[in-house]
Amino acid sequence: MNHLKIAPSLLAADFGNLERDVKLVENSKADWHHLDIMDGLFVPNISYGMPVVKAISEYASKPLDVHLMIVDPDRYISEFASLGAHILTVHFEACKHLHRTVQAIKAEGMKAGVALNPHTPVRLLEDIIQDLDLVLVMSVNPGFGGQSFIENTYEKIRKLKELITAKGCDTLIEVDGGVGLQNAAKLNAAGADVLVAGSAVFSSEDPGATIEKLKES
């Protein structure tokens, strides 16, 4: 099993008390802040934009793990770098020239991630996996929180881990969607390195304790 990183999703935080919830993550055993940026086009929902990311960055010292669920993400790479993003993840399905996008992210000093929707096979990353710092496996359809976990995700993680090992790279595997205490250990056993948890953390009675239990999974 791998040492698990936990990235609470601030999409599930209380936006009326955003500073409080960012500091909660800061004071917990979480590793990253996960920020979901949705445009209402690539996915049906709209989340938050640059002003909110800027506000979060002012209270966060842990890395900002920014997940762009938007069309034509190249337009905003420099802007997210200036806002303090440490990791910038774009969707395979949203990029016409994925290699160029990945190189542009790295040129801005950020780590580059690529997300795969549930229907997108791992084999499509064969020619670029060595350039990636992270692959985000979506275990729900992107766009909304609180969805049920897709069981095929375990097999997809195993295939991705096999590809990473075969290529001799150290790309991290992140999982987002329906993640909680009920499946964290199984995800880790399949090969996941980073778990994104939103509702499981912020809807729990003790978010800090839940984060700690997730890390121990």
Side-chain angles (χ1 to χ4, degrees):
M1 289 191 182
N2 310 311
H3 174 68
L4 267 177
K5 294 182 184 296
I6 304 300
S9 174
L10 294 176
L11 188 63
D14 180 353
F15 277 73
N17 294 282
L18 188 56
E19 177 184 350
R20 179 202 68 191
D21 283 358
V22 171
K23 288 181 176 179
L24 183 156
V25 175
E26 284 288 308
N27 295 324
S28 75
K29 292 191 175 182
D31 300 275
W32 301 343
H33 298 272
H34 187 82
L35 283 64
D36 288 307
I37 311 299
M38 306 178 189
D39 63 358
L41 295 172
F42 181 70
V43 292
N45 203 2
I46 296 174
S47 58
Y48 46 80
M50 284 54 168
V52 174
V53 175
K54 185 175 186 296
I56 291 169
S57 70
E58 291 174 357
Y59 299 109
S61 60
K62 293 180 178 180
L64 300 183
D65 174 31
V66 179
H67 175 197
L68 300 184
M69 289 178 264
I70 66 175
V71 297
D72 195 11
D74 301 62
R75 295 173 294 165
Y76 301 109
I77 290 172
S78 295
E79 191 163 0
F80 278 106
S82 69
L83 290 171
H86 294 77
I87 305 142
L88 193 66
T89 296
V90 297
H91 267 263
F92 176 91
E93 304 84 5
C95 297
K96 293 180 180 178
H97 305 286
L98 184 59
H99 184 270
R100 184 169 68 192
T101 301
V102 167
Q103 295 307 312
I105 292 171
K106 292 190 170 189
E108 292 287 347
M110 297 177 288
K111 292 187 176 181
V114 169
L116 298 178
N117 279 344
H119 72 278
T120 304
V122 166
R123 59 179 171 76
L124 295 177
L125 296 181
E126 286 181 2
D127 293 333
I128 199 171
I129 191 70
Q130 290 168 298
D131 296 305
L132 304 181
D133 298 293
L134 178 147
V135 175
L136 172 54
V137 177
M138 292 301 301
S139 44
V140 298
N141 288 295
F144 294 96
Q147 296 182 63
S148 297
F149 180 86
I150 296 173
E151 292 296 319
N152 185 56
T153 302
Y154 300 114
E155 180 60 24
K156 195 167 187 177
I157 294 169
R158 285 189 282 269
K159 288 179 180 178
L160 180 56
K161 192 69 173 181
E162 289 172 3
L163 175 61
I164 291 168
T165 301
K167 293 288 187 177
C169 47
D170 55 2
T171 310
L172 296 177
I173 299 174
E174 184 173 37
V175 184
D176 185 3
V179 172
L181 294 172
Q182 77 284 357
N183 56 14
K186 192 173 179 181
L187 288 167
N188 186 216
D193 303 290
V194 186
L195 300 183
V196 176
S199 302
V201 169
F202 290 105
S203 296
S204 66
E205 292 184 4
D206 188 339
T210 299
I211 291 168
E212 186 171 355
K213 288 177 183 177
L214 285 168
K215 278 193 74 71
E216 292 172 353
S217 295

